[in-house]
Every structure is written in C-alpha cells, then in structure tokens.
Amino acid sequence: MVRQRFQEGVRGLMRWWLKTRRTFTVLTALTVVSMVLTVWIGGEYVLLPSFFSNSQQAVLTVFLPVPVVAALSLSLDSRLAAFETTAVRFVPARDAVLVLAVPVGCLFLAGAFWSATGVSVARNVAFLTGLMLMARPWARQAAVMIPITWIALVVFFSHRPYPDPDPWTVLPEPASATHATAAALLTLAAGLTVLLRARQELS
C-alpha cells in the first residue's frame, strides 16, 4: 500500500512537472515546427549587410534554433517557485534531462528526415542553449537574448561568409565540422552545470 501510494505520488509529480514546464504545448510544438522548417529550407541563404563587406551570404537555418531556445527558456521559467523550493530534489535533475532532450529530439527528427542540415541545426540548438543557460544566473529572463546576440555577431562580424565561415562562428558550419560539434558539446555541458547549481541553490 505504501509503495503504491509512493508510485502514484511520483507519477503525479511527473505529470505536474511536465504540465508546469509546458513541455508539450510549447516546447515540443516549437521544436517540431523548427525542424520541419529546417528540412524545407535546407541550405537556402540570404544576402545581409556586413561590417567587413557590402554584403555576405547568411544561411537561413542559422536563425531556426531561436524559437527552440526561446521555448526552452520559457519552459524553464515556468515554475512554481514556492512549491519547488520545498519539493524533493528531483526538480534540478528533471530540468537537466529536459534540456538534454531538446537537442537529442532535434537530432532524432533530423535523422528521421535524413537531413544533414537538420543535424547542424540540432548542434546549433545545443550551442545556443548552453550560452543561454550560462547567462541565466545574471541575465534571468533576458538570457534568451544572448543566442540572438551571438547570431548577430556571426552575421555582421564574420570575415568569411557561408559556406566557408570563420571557425569561431560555429553556427554556419556544416554538420561534419568536428570543432563546431565539440564547441557545442562543451558549451552545453557548461550551461547544464550552471543550471544544476542554480536549481540546487533554490531547492
């Protein structure tokens, strides 16, 4: 009886957490939409002004991680602070799993569509998510602007346009660029560390 009540309580907490974090109504929906757009757009690019030339090519998929990262930021901000500060410490771990599930889900969708562009967008989601998470302790809700700022730097300050971008830009790099993948993984890991520490201090 006690074990059954414990299991029911855990399932209830899980349902509460998924609903509070808007996992399906916002996060999953925007992730799917962004990846479908990625497959549809492919390698299309636009000409944008640059500080180092009259104009340069900017691949459109550089901008597609923004809705996903914004949805994740909103999801992490959708919390019942009074309840979570007194709840058991499953909340930080669940939030970390949620963060990891987003780029993994993007990779799964990219594989389902056999899209190399989708793989690069999933990598960019991981990279920009890491930047957003590292900024959250001091920027709070405005941390979602950090990925947008990085995209602006890539577009307007890169010396070398797509398809041969500067290595530091990460975002326009193809899916096969190992240094971009390494940068994304390291940035995401740093962001998750910041998230876990912040959440544990609150709980």
Side-chain angles (χ1 to χ4, degrees):
M1 181 66 69
V2 174
R3 182 178 180 181
Q4 182 180 359
R5 289 182 178 178
F6 175 78
Q7 292 175 343
E8 290 175 353
V10 171
R11 286 194 293 267
L13 285 172
M14 188 65 179
R15 287 193 296 269
W16 159 81
W17 177 78
L18 289 171
K19 183 177 180 180
T20 301
R21 292 296 186 270
R22 306 182 188 184
T23 305
F24 301 109
T25 56
V26 175
L27 184 56
T28 302
L30 283 178
T31 299
V32 171
V33 168
S34 293
M35 294 306 295
V36 170
L37 286 174
T38 296
V39 175
W40 180 51
I41 292 173
E44 295 294 325
Y45 62 87
V46 293
L47 292 177
L48 294 176
S50 171
F51 284 97
F52 298 104
S53 62
N54 291 331
S55 64
Q56 71 168 320
Q57 298 176 7
V59 63
L60 287 174
T61 49
V62 166
F63 304 96
L64 289 179
V66 172
V68 181
V69 178
L72 181 57
S73 179
L74 176 64
S75 179
L76 293 174
D77 284 330
S78 301
R79 43 193 309 269
L80 301 175
F83 180 85
E84 292 188 20
T85 52
T86 58
V88 292
R89 292 180 179 270
F90 83 104
V91 174
R94 299 286 186 187
D95 284 346
V97 170
L98 178 65
V99 170
L100 284 172
V102 173
V104 170
C106 290
L107 276 176
F108 174 80
L109 291 172
F113 289 109
W114 294 89
S115 172
T117 305
V119 173
S120 65
V121 169
R123 178 203 65 208
N124 294 346
V125 167
F127 178 73
L128 295 176
T129 296
L131 292 181
M132 180 268 293
L133 292 176
M134 286 190 288
R136 282 173 62 84
W138 54 270
R140 300 189 182 278
Q141 292 182 345
V144 73
M145 295 303 298
I146 301 301
I148 297 174
T149 302
W150 184 269
I151 292 173
L153 290 173
V154 169
V155 171
F156 297 117
F157 290 94
S158 175
H159 288 80
R160 291 156 49 184
Y162 175 84
D164 184 28
D166 292 319
W168 66 266
T169 57
V170 177
L171 304 182
E173 294 283 1
S176 58
T178 55
H179 74 277
T181 301
L185 292 175
L186 289 173
T187 305
L188 182 61
L192 283 171
T193 301
V194 172
L195 174 69
L196 285 170
R197 288 181 177 176
R199 284 289 194 252
Q200 287 167 356
E201 289 173 0
L202 289 173
S203 58

